[in-house]
Amino acid sequence: MTKIAPQPGIMEIALYKSGEAVIEGRSEILKLSANESPYGASDKARAAFARSAATLHRYPGTDHADLRHAIAEVHGLDPERVICGVGSDEVLQFVAQAYAGPGDEVIHTAHGFAMYPILAHAVGATPVCVAERARVVDVDAILRACTPRTRIVFIANPGNPTGTILPEAELARLAAGIPESAILVLDGAYTEFAEGYDGGVALVEARGNVIMTRTFSKAYGLGGLRIGWGYAQAGMIGVLNRIRQPFNLSQTQLDTAEAAVRDRDWLNRVVGDTIRNRAWLIEALRAAGVAVDDSHANFVLARFASEAEAAACDAALRADGIIVRRVGGYGFPEGLRITVGDESACRRVAHVIGQFRGAR
Ligand SMILES: *Cc1c(COP(=O)(O)O)cnc(C)c1O
């Protein structure tokens, strides 16, 4: 019999389930289950990826300086306070690892990202789930849930799978109200799709306990590359860099992401098309009698009358080769999260759901 045992909390972790990618017996599928870009990555990013093959035998740089400077230049930030990770997931992990442990509480919201409780358990901390109000993060409920043991408050803004957004005034009220010994994490995976929102830069500049995270996985079409970044004040970045592995990112990741972030024309086109297709899809779903909130991300949350109806609609979509995301695990058994694809993908989805609803 073995005497080995994992650290406290590890066995509390429910394994993360990613969006499905296959339908049994079908080769051509339309995958709208993981909020991936229908446009792929920019040609400039692909070219940088290919060029990096020449230096695969070399260890990558450890300070990520070129990429940090490119990110800072494009977004008007201080390059010294940017930290890059293996997806924004790794940056979130740095925060949990550096700032929370056994006996500490980590707040996340009812429809927040499934990674937040996983990260809390992984460091032995206690995840505390706070209700949302009509599918929007509830600042007052979070403030009521704060205790002297609260170390981190994770919110996704825009939210996933809700697609709703908290205005900056609400974010500011949240940042001002949490204990000074707690960190507010603004997970901005979908920031590019939220018009007029920059992920919370002003709050980061104003407060040493706020960090924003961003990713190349969604708007940049680089989910397979695994790279994201965070922005905070120097004190927190100095802490996070101490636990970051020096070689956490390959030169291929760094070079590809740098080319991607500098290709503004591509990004603007992707975002413009997505926002246009999103508006069209929301109208089409509403016309079919499906409840949908306005979305500030690259997906919509379609809500049906019941879990059974959502399951039946999911089956109808699958019969047509379309995979979307059931979101019962995110508190919406009656919902389907549908990634905004290109124009023809949106038309297909609207057609199948329209027929499904019409036949009822
Ligand atoms: C997709 C997503 C991320 C991004 O994760 P990466 O590790 O950067 O790929 C982060 N947060 C939320 C809420 C997401 O939906």
Side-chain angles (χ1 to χ4, degrees):
M1 218 181 69
T2 173
K3 292 246 171 69
I4 62 171
Q7 289 291 303
I10 304 282
M11 296 313 288
E12 314 293 325
I13 295 173
L15 290 179
Y16 183 86
K17 276 169 83 173
S18 61
E20 286 179 68
V22 289
I23 297 176
E24 199 75 48
R26 236 189 136 112
S27 54
E28 294 252 327
I29 57 142
L30 174 57
K31 186 184 176 211
L32 300 175
S33 57
N35 302 338
E36 295 152 338
S37 174
Y39 309 105
S42 89
D43 285 342
K44 289 179 180 169
R46 292 171 203 236
F49 181 92
R51 273 196 306 276
S52 76
T55 52
L56 280 176
H57 58 299
R58 304 270 182 222
Y59 271 90
T62 59
D63 66 3
H64 307 162
D66 291 344
L67 176 58
R68 287 189 295 100
H69 279 84
I71 289 169
E73 214 176 288
V74 161
H75 294 97
L77 307 175
D78 174 359
E80 300 311 315
R81 296 193 279 125
V82 173
I83 183 168
C84 302
V86 181
S88 50
D89 282 359
E90 193 186 32
V91 180
L92 301 174
Q93 184 186 331
F94 295 153
V95 176
Q97 201 184 335
Y99 288 99
D104 295 335
E105 292 171 355
V106 172
I107 289 178
H108 63 99
T109 65
H111 310 303
F113 191 32
M115 281 304 296
Y116 307 150
I118 291 178
L119 293 170
H121 281 308
V123 299
T126 306
V128 175
C129 182
V130 174
E132 297 188 18
R133 180 191 283 254
R135 300 171 302 284
V136 179
V137 169
D138 182 342
V139 169
D140 294 301
I142 293 176
L143 296 181
R144 280 195 302 273
C146 283
T147 75
R149 291 190 300 278
T150 304
R151 292 289 169 270
I152 302 172
V153 176
F154 281 116
I155 71 162
N157 203 48
N160 171 14
T162 58
T164 61
I165 193 167
L166 274 191
E168 304 225 15
E170 280 291 275
L171 294 178
R173 196 161 74 79
L174 177 59
I178 64 172
E180 288 177 4
S181 51
I183 290 173
L184 174 61
V185 178
L186 300 175
D187 177 344
Y190 301 97
T191 299
E192 288 82 1
F193 303 108
E195 290 166 285
Y197 179 56
D198 67 5
V201 174
L203 271 183
V204 169
E205 300 298 356
R207 296 183 179 273
N209 63 336
V210 178
I211 180 169
M212 61 180 249
T213 59
R214 304 283 296 269
T215 186
F216 285 93
S217 299
K218 307 285 161 55
Y220 290 95
L222 290 170
L225 188 71
R226 309 305 306 130
I227 184 160
W229 54 280
Y231 188 62
Q233 290 196 7
M236 198 192 307
I237 294 297
V239 169
L240 303 183
N241 266 321
R242 282 175 162 75
I243 53 172
R244 179 178 68 78
Q245 290 191 29
F247 300 112
N248 65 326
L249 292 169
S250 69
Q251 202 60 45
T252 302
Q253 286 168 297
L254 294 164
D255 293 350
T256 306
E258 184 184 343
V261 79
R262 290 192 186 283
D263 194 349
R264 302 319 285 168
D265 288 346
W266 169 263
L267 185 80
N268 291 335
R269 237 178 5 249
V270 167
V271 169
D273 283 2
T274 304
I275 288 175
R276 194 160 28 78
N277 292 334
R278 179 177 75 196
W280 185 89
L281 180 61
I282 290 173
E283 281 315 309
L285 292 175
R286 285 177 182 164
V290 178
V292 196
D293 292 320
D294 286 338
S295 169
H296 301 268
N298 67 339
F299 55 82
V300 301
L301 177 62
R303 289 175 290 121
F304 296 84
S306 64
E307 178 168 4
E309 192 188 353
C313 186
D314 185 42
L317 288 162
R318 280 174 172 270
D320 203 66
I322 304 171
I323 305 183
V324 301
R325 185 77 177 259
R326 298 289 302 273
V327 281
Y330 284 83
F332 296 109
E334 77 287 17
L336 296 178
R337 191 192 68 191
I338 307 169
T339 301
V340 176
D342 61 16
E343 197 176 311
S344 83
C346 289
R347 287 186 191 282
R348 253 178 87 182
V349 167
H351 178 74
V352 174
I353 296 184
Q355 297 244 305
F356 168 78
R357 292 278 309 162
R360 295 177 78 78

